[in-house]
Amino acid sequence: MKKIIILSMAMMVAFGVGAQQYALHFGSVNGPVVGVNDTSVYTTTDDDMNDLHMSSVSLFIENLTSGPLETNNTIEMVEGPAGLVTTVCAGGSCPQQGAYTLQPGNNDLMPLVIESHLLESYIGQSVLYRVTVGNDRGMANAVTTYVRVNIGTFGIDAVEVDGKKVAYPNPTTGKVTVGDREYDLSDRPAGVYFLSTGNGTARVIKM
């Protein structure tokens, strides 16, 4: 039995099975790694709606290999208000100018940024993006994840609390304290949420 297991592992290494080339960090270069097919959730702020009329969500792409990677991405709006305009910035250019090269490690000056241009009529709706990052030609070794933008303040209600822990309780079925804020996830679907701590983000599981 041991020989069979060792042989199977050797075959996996030989054929490159599970050799992931990219990791996506939500919100900041040191932010939590977004799992494959996870959904990261961002709720717009008053500044987004009133001053900028645009939300901005960043994913920092880490090159997990030892050499440069020719990289590209696709951003698809799976659901959202008709007519919503989205701008994608990547590779150090805004808007994105095409494929780009990522050096090994986390490229902190070259985030993938999804900018949703907001109208007052969109308040109360949400946008779901499918984000795929892969090698330039044919999108080989691609990693796919999802980003949901809740437009307005209808989604997660935040109130000031005296929280001491990064995220507690986690997993949660309702309210969760993140840094010095309390979020109410009671009416949100089960899933993985990335919530602001003020200095970064925390990964929270809603049961």
Side-chain angles (χ1 to χ4, degrees), residues 56-127:
S56 181
V57 180
S58 298
L59 294 169
F60 288 80
I61 307 171
E62 182 179 3
N63 175 355
L64 300 176
T65 75
S66 59
L69 289 176
E70 291 299 316
T71 305
N72 210 333
N73 49 259
T74 60
I75 311 295
E76 178 185 0
M77 189 173 77
V78 178
E79 53 185 69
L84 182 142
V85 175
T86 302
T87 300
V88 177
C89 307
S93 299
C94 194
Q96 182 181 349
Q97 299 298 309
Y100 45 93
T101 301
L102 288 178
Q103 298 301 323
N106 212 328
N107 295 261
D108 58 338
L109 300 181
M110 300 172 65
L112 171 59
V113 183
I114 304 170
E115 298 178 339
S116 305
H117 299 259
L118 307 173
L119 300 176
E120 294 295 328
S121 60
Y122 297 160
I123 293 177
Q125 302 186 58
S126 69
V127 188

Side-chain angles (χ1 to χ4, degrees), residues 66-189:
S66 59
L69 289 176
E70 291 299 316
T71 305
N72 210 333
N73 49 259
T74 60
I75 311 295
E76 178 185 0
M77 189 173 77
V78 178
E79 53 185 69
L84 182 142
V85 175
T86 302
T87 300
V88 177
C89 307
S93 299
C94 194
Q96 182 181 349
Q97 299 298 309
Y100 45 93
T101 301
L102 288 178
Q103 298 301 323
N106 212 328
N107 295 261
D108 58 338
L109 300 181
M110 300 172 65
L112 171 59
V113 183
I114 304 170
E115 298 178 339
S116 305
H117 299 259
L118 307 173
L119 300 176
E120 294 295 328
S121 60
Y122 297 160
I123 293 177
Q125 302 186 58
S126 69
V127 188
L128 181 65
Y129 294 102
R130 181 186 294 116
V131 181
T132 303
V133 175
N135 299 146
D136 176 21
R137 297 183 181 180
M139 295 296 286
N141 302 298
V143 173
T144 297
T145 188
Y146 293 83
V147 171
R148 181 176 294 280
V149 178
N150 291 327
I151 304 172
T153 57
F154 76 104
I156 301 169
D157 297 323
V159 295
E160 292 298 324
V161 295
D162 218 0
K164 301 297 182 185
K165 302 201 174 184
V166 173
Y168 178 82
N170 189 15
T172 182
T173 57
K175 293 183 178 180
V176 59
T177 298
V178 180
D180 61 352
R181 302 179 70 184
E182 183 179 87
Y183 291 90
D184 189 359
L185 302 179
S186 300
D187 62 344
R188 309 305 299 168

Side-chain angles (χ1 to χ4, degrees), residues 178-179 181 183 194-202:
V178 180
R181 302 179 70 184
Y183 291 90
F194 293 90
L195 305 177
S196 173
T197 64
N199 297 318
T201 54

